[in-house]
Amino acid sequence: MVKFYESSFTYDYSFPAVTLAYFLRYPNPYATHVLSTDVISRSVDPASGRLHTLRVHRKSSRLPTAVLKLLPKSVLGSVSGGRSESYVLESSTNDVKEGWMKTESKNLDWTGILSVVEKQEYQRQVPADVSDDFKVDAGTTGVVTTVIFKSRLGNRLRARATRKGEAAGADGDDDAPKKGFLTSWSTAGIQRSIEVIASRKTENQLGNSKRGMTVVLERLRSGGLVGVLDGMRRDSEAVWKGT
C-alpha cells in the first residue's frame, strides 16, 4: 500500500537565503534529534552550473508506541524502549540561475517496515527588484513537499501466512483457507495502521522543519553567516548535552 502527503508553503526570504538555510538547517532548536550530517559527494555540472549534493543524516529516532504495540518481537529485534539511531539519505539539485532546487530524502533503516520518501521543490518567486535577489529578506520562495509512505510489512507477513496456510492445507487442515484469510486481513490492518501513524507523525515533523528553517533564516538575516554558524554551535552543544 502507498500513501501520499502533500503540502505547500512560502518563505518570506529570497531563494539564495532559503537554499543556504536548507544546507545549514541542522542542528536547530526544532531538530535536536539530528546528531550529525555528512556530505558524501558534492559537484557542479560544468554545462548547467547546477549543484548536486548527496548527504547522510544520523538521527536519534523513536518508533511511536502505537507502532511498537502492533509489531511482533521478531520484527523489532533489539530495539530498546523504541529508541535507536537511524540514517536518512538526502540528494539535492540546486539551479541558482533558474531559481529552483529539488531534494529527495529517504530512510535507510526500517525499510522492511516502512519506507518514507520526502521530495521538496523550492522555487524562486520574482523579487521586487532582481538586484535584491541576494538580500535575505527580498522576495519570497515557495516550496512544495510531497511525502510517500510505503509499508512492506503487511506484504511480508501475508506471504509468510500464505506459506503456512499452504503447508497446513497440504496436511489436510480444512480450516487453512479461513485462517489464511483472517491472517491476511489482520496484517493488512497492521500495514494501514502503521501508514496512518507515520502520516500523522510526518505532519508534526514538517511543522517543526518549517520552524527550524525560519530560525536559521532569522539568524542569517540578523547576523549573517557568522550568526548562523554561532547558532549551530550552540545547538550542537545542546544536542550532545542531552544525549
Side-chain angles (χ1 to χ4, degrees):
M1 181 182 294
V2 177
K3 289 181 67 71
F4 298 89
Y5 175 86
E6 184 173 293
S7 67
S8 58
F9 185 75
T10 299
Y11 289 100
D12 292 326
Y13 298 88
S14 66
F15 175 77
V18 171
T19 53
L20 178 60
Y22 178 86
F23 288 113
L24 299 178
R25 70 191 190 280
Y26 295 140
N28 68 69
Y30 294 96
T32 55
H33 63 293
V34 179
L35 303 177
S36 65
T37 294
D38 293 289
V39 177
I40 298 176
S41 65
R42 176 167 284 159
S43 62
V44 176
D45 188 320
S48 64
R50 293 170 181 169
L51 174 67
H52 300 277
T53 305
L54 185 65
R55 304 194 296 177
V56 63
H57 305 291
R58 183 168 66 96
K59 302 182 178 183
S60 174
S61 61
R62 179 185 293 276
L63 285 175
T65 303
V67 171
L68 291 174
K69 292 179 179 179
L70 289 171
L71 300 177
K73 292 182 179 180
S74 59
V75 173
L76 290 174
S78 59
V79 174
S80 176
R83 181 170 290 282
S84 65
E85 288 189 2
S86 61
Y87 294 86
V88 173
L89 186 67
E90 171 202 283
S91 61
S92 63
T93 301
N94 187 358
D95 192 314
V96 176
K97 292 180 181 179
E98 296 182 3
W100 59 264
M101 180 172 74
K102 295 182 179 181
T103 71
E104 179 179 297
S105 300
K106 57 184 178 181
N107 60 307
L108 298 179
D109 305 275
W110 300 102
T111 53
I113 298 174
L114 182 70
S115 173
V116 181
V117 178
E118 176 185 307
K119 297 182 179 182
Q120 291 189 305
E121 293 188 17
Y122 292 82
Q123 183 68 54
R124 173 195 289 127
Q125 296 179 349
V126 182
D129 186 341
V130 176
S131 63
D132 289 338
D133 192 37
F134 282 86
K135 293 182 179 178
V136 174
D137 53 0
T140 58
T141 303
V143 56
V144 176
T145 301
T146 303
V147 185
I148 304 171
F149 308 95
K150 186 174 183 180
S151 174
R152 298 182 177 88
L153 178 65
N155 297 333
R156 292 169 54 198
L157 295 179
R158 276 197 297 276
R160 187 184 306 171
T162 299
R163 289 194 296 270
K164 288 183 179 179
E166 291 174 349
D171 293 336
D173 187 351
D174 294 334
D175 291 333
K178 187 191 330 185
K179 292 178 181 178
F181 170 78
L182 292 175
T183 303
S184 176
W185 179 85
S186 62
T187 53
I190 292 174
Q191 183 173 333
R192 285 194 298 270
S193 298
I194 290 174
E195 289 168 349
V196 169
I197 293 168
S199 179
R200 291 172 181 169
K201 184 178 180 181
T202 296
E203 289 188 46
N204 293 331
Q205 289 177 337
L206 289 178
N208 285 334
S209 177
K210 294 172 187 174
R211 286 186 279 272
M213 282 280 289
T214 300
V215 167
V216 177
L217 285 163
E218 278 298 300
R219 289 172 175 171
L220 187 61
R221 183 185 64 79
S222 60
L225 186 58
V226 173
V228 174
L229 296 177
D230 186 52
M232 291 175 67
R233 178 186 57 78
R234 295 195 305 270
D235 293 335
S236 181
E237 292 174 351
V239 167
W240 286 108
K241 284 182 180 178
T243 57

